Amino acid sequence: MNYEFDSEIYDILTDGNQDIHFILEYPESIIDILNQSHSDVLIAEKPSDYNTKYQVTFIEEIELTEAELAKIEDNISGFNLLIADSEKDIIAQFIDLYGYNQYDAEKSNNTYLD
């Protein structure tokens, strides 16, 4: 997934050159398939030069039945990205990664409120 965080989160994460941790939170309805509520913690690329756009890849290799795959696809909007600081305290989250990555301000019916 590609992600972008705002300058406030950037400032928190760059304070003291700390590690950023990412955790993929799974929808409650598929925890029985994955046998856990979230992914392993990944250490992300360190932010630098006020660049706030990055990319992270989560890979989980498991064998699935057709029914299990269908259940995951049916719940695709329930995945969330948690961002944690060097102490692994959650400081931000992206809710509904599928919707977040599919959003296009030019084409979407969503409205931005200032």
Side-chain angles (χ1 to χ4, degrees):
M1 86 164 268
N2 297 316
Y3 60 93
E4 180 175 5
F5 40 73
D6 65 25
S7 58
E8 182 179 342
I9 295 172
Y10 178 91
D11 290 340
I12 292 168
L13 295 172
T14 55
D15 183 37
N17 199 26
Q18 64 181 307
D19 286 333
I20 303 170
H21 298 92
F22 288 131
I23 304 157
L24 186 61
E25 185 177 49
Y26 305 137
E28 254 187 66
S29 55
I30 66 163
I31 290 174
D32 61 321
I33 296 171
L34 301 175
N35 296 317
Q36 54 190 9
S37 61
H38 57 78
S39 71
D40 293 334
V41 177
L42 296 180
I43 296 177
E45 178 182 350
K46 288 191 183 286
S48 61
D49 300 325
Y50 286 97
N51 178 21
T52 59
K53 294 181 181 184
Y54 297 90
Q55 183 175 25
V56 65
T57 303
F58 289 92
I59 298 174
E60 184 75 32
E61 293 186 25
I62 59 173
E63 290 188 30
L64 298 171
T65 66
E66 290 293 324
E68 290 170 330
L69 182 58
K71 188 174 181 181
I72 290 171
E73 289 173 346
D74 288 345
N75 291 280
I76 199 72
S77 65
F79 288 83
N80 305 317
L81 178 67
L82 308 178
I83 302 175
D85 62 13
S86 59
E87 303 293 319
K88 297 186 182 166
D89 293 325
I90 306 302
I91 62 164
Q93 62 184 3
F94 291 90
I95 303 297
D96 180 11
L97 291 181
Y98 181 76
Y100 177 81
N101 279 298
Q102 300 302 315
Y103 177 77
D104 183 344
E106 301 284 328
K107 299 177 184 174
S108 177
N109 289 329
N110 294 333
T111 303
Y112 175 74
L113 300 175
D114 195 16

